Amino acid sequence: MDTRHLIRISATALATAGLLISGCSSGGSSPSASASAPQRAAPAALATYYAQKLSWRDCGAPGFQCATMKAPLDYRKPEKADIKLAVSRKKATGPGKRIGSLLVNPGGPGGAAIGYLQAYAAVGYPAPVRARYDMVAVDPRGVARSEPVECLTGKEMDAYTQVDQTPDDQGETGKLVTSFKGFAAGCEKRSDAILPHVSTVEAARDMDILRAVLGDGKLNFVGASYGTFLGATYAELFPARAGRLVLDGAMDPSLAAREMNRDQTAGFETAFQAFAADCVKREDCPLGTGTPNEAGERLKGFFDELDAKPVPTGQSRPLGESLATTGVIAAMYDESAWPQLRSALTRATGGDGAELLALADTYYERSADGSYTNLMYANAAVNCLDLPPAFTGPDEVRNELPAFEKASPVFGEGLAWASLTCGYWPAKATGTPHRIEAKGAAPIVVVGTTRDPATPYKWAQSLAGQLDSGTLLTYDGDGHTAYGRGSDCVDTAINTYLLEGTAPKDGKKCS
């Protein structure tokens, strides 16, 4: 399996494929150091950026406008070069007095925020919210339309996603390491100028420029998954400018990469146990009857069979262990995908891997023509800046395999090896794990789902506890994130906060 430290939200499923994060970053200094004077006016060196006027134009999508915003490529040397960031908005529809702009981010890192805005947020968020906010998104630097990080060709990426992620011997380990090094080298070759400047801190600073350019005194923001770290980082840097912030599916910025990846491995096991408990009760369950643990043993056995002998898919890419595991994990993000996963596993165990391959392709954002979006490239680029690598070599991974396999007997081995990605990255990490308190910020709503596979519930508990003004809203349920996923209790609490500024009582629970 090939998992690239990813957490994201899909506009079509609201909460789908994504995987392992390696952490949280800065652009040249840690967020805590950068936030020493968060309430000052913009430094003189950034004045032209804060004073710029956006030239809005039609997007080709009815009701939307688009513009290009400039930000410094390197905030330490803002006079040297600019980076151009794509922005889109849909203006408040009324009725009711306009509150301001509501910036949205779907996660990743690497998720296309403008795509999420136009396909879902600006048309699918509750009507009262859309009535009173201009719905806005900016593709973060290095992502989608904002000078995207590029690494591999489509054919190279196809090969990369098929590399064995559970090496059985030194030869297979060598091939896996070579693939990581080749991925990193491709990114350096095609994107060397931007690679050191796509950290979360820099993206958060870009958001403050956008806030000013839009004419808002404070930033109102809904961030899902990795977007919660982006929002928390903004609050740390600019607490006096933090408005109504919703952090849904929260990350814990205090964790080192290895601990974070291990926690997330356990999160996927929790999600799989919920899927398996449902599956074994059904006549069409491809994992048989019995307990969820027994179903997990059968799935792991199937992965082992694919490792030895991939099954055909009707394409030039057979379904091996790596792609099959990625396909299963993709379906863990939203319980509405469970029927599709049962069908895909049934077909795959019968010798047809096409449907499970399709799930993996959705995860990787691979199109039918063999091209990929830059999601996976931006994801690695941001994560490898945001924290020092979880592992720097195969020996470290082997030493940690027992801990990862304890966290998840089904996925642990593959996710441990996937955590080696940043060990060969050409740009040195600039961030460090640290608590985010954001003292002086207005109330911030942190949302956690109890059986969230990608952002374990305890991360939401931790972030809400770290934030000086954090309030925890709990959704007792399955899937990744909670807002807009069917809980009237969650949606009402968040809508009230966004529209009236009243945060739910800390510890409020919904189902």
Side-chain angles (χ1 to χ4, degrees), residues 1-2 4 152 156 159-165 172-186 417 420-421 424-425:
M1 176 191 53
D2 188 3
R4 291 301 175 232
L152 302 178
E156 289 170 339
Y160 181 66
T161 60
Q162 296 178 73
V163 174
D164 187 353
Q165 293 257 166
E172 290 185 352
T173 300
K175 290 179 181 179
L176 181 57
V177 169
T178 297
S179 77
F180 289 147
K181 290 180 176 179
F183 184 91
W417 282 105
L420 184 56
T421 307
Y424 306 103
W425 202 248

Side-chain angles (χ1 to χ4, degrees), residues 272 275-276 279-280 284-292 294-300 302 328 341-342 345-346 349:
F272 173 76
F275 162 76
C279 185
V280 296
D284 66 343
C285 181
L287 301 177
T289 58
T291 68
E294 289 170 337
E297 291 171 359
R298 295 187 190 104
L299 180 59
K300 188 68 169 67
F302 177 57
V328 172
L341 178 57
R342 292 196 304 271
L345 284 172
T346 297
T349 54

Side-chain angles (χ1 to χ4, degrees), residues 234-393:
Y234 180 89
E236 180 182 36
L237 290 168
F238 309 105
R241 301 173 195 165
R244 299 170 189 179
L245 271 56
V246 177
L247 310 181
D248 184 11
M251 285 176 55
D252 181 352
S254 71
L255 298 178
R258 187 178 302 183
E259 185 178 3
M260 184 174 290
N261 290 358
R262 192 170 59 241
D263 277 357
Q264 199 177 52
T265 299
F268 279 101
E269 181 67 22
T270 297
F272 173 76
Q273 289 285 320
F275 162 76
D278 176 78
C279 185
V280 296
K281 298 174 184 177
R282 299 176 180 271
E283 292 183 0
D284 66 343
C285 181
L287 301 177
T289 58
T291 68
N293 285 339
E294 289 170 337
E297 291 171 359
R298 295 187 190 104
L299 180 59
K300 188 68 169 67
F302 177 57
F303 289 157
D304 291 341
E305 292 175 9
L306 293 176
D307 189 24
K309 186 179 180 180
V311 297
T313 62
Q315 301 185 32
S316 60
R317 296 174 299 143
L319 183 75
E321 180 185 15
S322 293
L323 287 171
T325 309
T326 300
V328 172
I329 283 178
M332 293 296 99
Y333 283 76
D334 189 342
E335 64 272 27
S336 68
W338 290 359
Q340 183 182 0
L341 178 57
R342 292 196 304 271
S343 173
L345 284 172
T346 297
R347 289 181 60 180
T349 54
D352 178 4
E355 194 170 351
L356 201 49
L357 177 64
L359 279 169
D361 285 349
T362 299
Y363 170 87
Y364 286 121
E365 294 194 354
R366 182 189 189 274
S367 299
D369 64 4
S371 63
Y372 291 78
T373 71
N374 94 308
L375 169 69
M376 307 309 293
Y377 312 138
N379 180 265
V382 175
N383 282 321
C384 294
L385 281 185
D386 275 356
L387 280 183
F391 301 113
T392 58

Side-chain angles (χ1 to χ4, degrees), residues 476-488:
D476 183 8
D478 297 293
H480 184 37
T481 73
Y483 186 42
R485 286 176 42 82
S487 169
D488 289 340

Side-chain angles (χ1 to χ4, degrees), residues 43-335:
L46 301 179
T48 57
Y49 296 105
Y50 275 82
Q52 68 185 292
K53 303 295 183 182
L54 296 184
S55 179
W56 294 101
R57 61 188 184 277
D58 289 340
C59 289
F64 289 91
Q65 297 175 309
C66 290
T68 300
M69 185 185 84
K70 291 182 179 180
L73 176 64
D74 185 345
Y75 275 91
R76 298 168 300 180
K77 301 175 182 178
E79 72 284 356
K80 294 293 184 181
D82 293 338
I83 187 169
K84 295 179 180 179
L85 306 177
V87 182
S88 183
R89 74 177 179 186
K90 187 174 186 182
K91 300 191 77 171
T93 58
K97 183 179 179 182
R98 177 183 175 276
I99 296 172
S101 303
L102 181 63
L103 188 66
V104 296
N105 183 277
I114 290 177
Y116 175 74
L117 176 81
Q118 295 181 355
Y120 174 64
V123 294
Y125 271 30
V129 173
R130 292 183 283 116
R132 299 187 59 197
Y133 282 100
D134 292 346
M135 301 295 295
V136 180
V138 55
D139 281 344
R141 51 177 60 211
V143 174
R145 307 180 197 191
S146 293
E147 302 197 19
V149 172
E150 297 293 349
C151 299
L152 302 178
T153 66
K155 289 184 178 179
E156 289 170 339
M157 189 66 179
D158 278 348
Y160 181 66
T161 60
Q162 296 178 73
V163 174
D164 187 353
Q165 293 257 166
T166 56
D168 299 318
D169 52 38
Q170 287 296 122
E172 290 185 352
T173 300
K175 290 179 181 179
L176 181 57
V177 169
T178 297
S179 77
F180 289 147
K181 290 180 176 179
F183 184 91
C187 297
E188 185 175 29
K189 177 182 178 181
R190 294 176 172 88
S191 305
D192 63 320
I194 196 175
L195 280 189
H197 303 296
V198 293
S199 70
T200 298
V201 160
E202 288 161 310
R205 289 174 172 164
D206 296 340
M207 285 164 50
D208 195 56
I209 293 176
L210 179 58
R211 172 203 57 77
V213 170
L214 292 172
D216 293 324
K218 293 192 175 186
L219 180 82
N220 302 308
F221 176 79
V222 177
S225 201
Y226 159 81
T228 66
F229 176 62
L230 187 58
T233 300
Y234 180 89
E236 180 182 36
L237 290 168
F238 309 105
R241 301 173 195 165
R244 299 170 189 179
L245 271 56
V246 177
L247 310 181
D248 184 11
M251 285 176 55
D252 181 352
S254 71
L255 298 178
R258 187 178 302 183
E259 185 178 3
M260 184 174 290
N261 290 358
R262 192 170 59 241
D263 277 357
Q264 199 177 52
T265 299
F268 279 101
E269 181 67 22
T270 297
F272 173 76
Q273 289 285 320
F275 162 76
D278 176 78
C279 185
V280 296
K281 298 174 184 177
R282 299 176 180 271
E283 292 183 0
D284 66 343
C285 181
L287 301 177
T289 58
T291 68
N293 285 339
E294 289 170 337
E297 291 171 359
R298 295 187 190 104
L299 180 59
K300 188 68 169 67
F302 177 57
F303 289 157
D304 291 341
E305 292 175 9
L306 293 176
D307 189 24
K309 186 179 180 180
V311 297
T313 62
Q315 301 185 32
S316 60
R317 296 174 299 143
L319 183 75
E321 180 185 15
S322 293
L323 287 171
T325 309
T326 300
V328 172
I329 283 178
M332 293 296 99
Y333 283 76
D334 189 342
E335 64 272 27

Side-chain angles (χ1 to χ4, degrees), residues 24 30-35 229 232-233 235-237 251-256 260 387 431-439 458-470:
C24 319
S30 73
S32 53
S34 303
F229 176 62
T233 300
E236 180 182 36
L237 290 168
M251 285 176 55
D252 181 352
S254 71
L255 298 178
M260 184 174 290
L387 280 183
T432 56
H434 66 287
R435 291 172 56 85
I436 290 182
E437 299 179 357
K439 292 182 178 179
K458 68 178 184 178
W459 289 1
Q461 292 175 302
S462 179
L463 180 60
Q466 292 171 41
L467 290 167
D468 191 56
S469 60

